[in-house]
Amino acid sequence: GGSQANFEHAITYACRAGASGFLAGRAVWWDALAAYPDTSAVLQALQRDAVPYLQRLQVLVAQQARPWRPGVSFDGVHAEGQVCRLRSDNA
């Protein structure tokens, strides 16, 4: 729930620690709500500020995040019990 700069900073450190991506909320759209209740101005602010911000975050993650890969192959799994056995075999 912080500012865009603080959120971007947090993502940078998270990626360095092994994160594969991010989940964003208020840091993206909060500033645009300053124009509320003028919905046209809110939409313009989102287009002007939020979209480029998300694009910047996308580049950051593409450059620094660790690619996500499943830890277990689920090939041939057809029932929940089979997943539990895979987990215990790989422990």
Side-chain angles (χ1 to χ4, degrees):
S3 68
Q4 288 185 355
N6 288 342
F7 187 66
E8 192 168 345
H9 187 73
I11 290 174
T12 299
Y13 279 95
C15 288
R16 290 178 187 169
S20 298
F22 66 93
L23 179 64
R26 283 180 285 190
V28 175
W29 50 260
W30 185 259
D31 291 344
L33 289 184
Y36 186 82
D38 183 346
T39 56
S40 177
V42 169
L43 290 173
Q44 287 174 356
L46 288 171
Q47 188 66 35
R48 182 189 64 236
D49 302 326
V51 170
Y53 176 67
L54 281 172
Q55 290 169 337
R56 198 166 64 244
L57 294 178
Q58 181 182 12
V59 169
L60 173 72
V61 169
Q63 292 173 345
Q64 297 187 23
R66 180 175 56 185
W68 180 84
R69 290 183 181 80
V72 175
S73 171
F74 293 103
D75 292 340
V77 172
H78 302 289
E80 186 175 339
Q82 292 173 309
V83 174
C84 295
R85 281 191 297 281
L86 283 173
R87 290 291 208 185
S88 63
D89 291 345
N90 292 322

